[in-house]
Amino acid sequence: MKKSRDELIDELIKKISQLPANRQKAMYFVIDNFHPIKRMCENSKMTDEEIQKWTAKAEENDDCIMLALLTAVQLFNGK
């Protein structure tokens, strides 16, 4: 049976609330800024090597917002 919109939202809220605080903030940032993030990331000229380099640096610094943005670059560019 297909889940209703409200059920999906409740599930999303539950999953986000189980994340560490810095990851919750990153998720809320992405949700609040989805359209500008999409516009910014969908035409990125970043190479796979650049994405990997910045991802490693973001992981090293536990920079969840940067990780989310880099993931968006990969998602919207099909990398």
Side-chain angles (χ1 to χ4, degrees):
M1 183 174 170
K2 189 174 180 178
K3 293 183 181 181
S4 72
R5 180 179 169 265
D6 289 340
E7 288 173 321
L8 292 171
I9 291 171
D10 288 342
E11 189 175 316
L12 180 61
I13 291 169
K14 181 180 176 186
K15 287 182 179 187
I16 290 173
S17 70
Q18 295 171 346
L19 296 171
N22 60 339
R23 294 182 186 269
Q24 286 182 26
K25 289 178 186 177
M27 290 300 301
Y28 291 129
F29 174 82
V30 170
I31 291 167
D32 283 343
N33 298 286
F34 181 80
H35 293 291
I37 289 170
K38 184 175 187 241
R39 283 193 309 272
M40 178 179 71
C41 294
E42 66 187 348
N43 295 312
S44 172
K45 304 291 187 230
M46 290 181 79
T47 65
D48 289 336
E49 292 78 23
E50 289 173 311
I51 293 169
Q52 290 174 0
K53 179 184 104 176
W54 285 105
T55 297
K57 187 169 187 148
E59 287 173 347
E60 179 181 307
N61 294 320
D62 201 26
D63 186 343
C64 296
I65 291 176
M66 179 62 80
L67 286 170
L69 292 173
L70 291 163
T71 301
V73 168
Q74 291 175 309
L75 174 70
F76 295 125
N77 283 307
K79 294 183 180 186

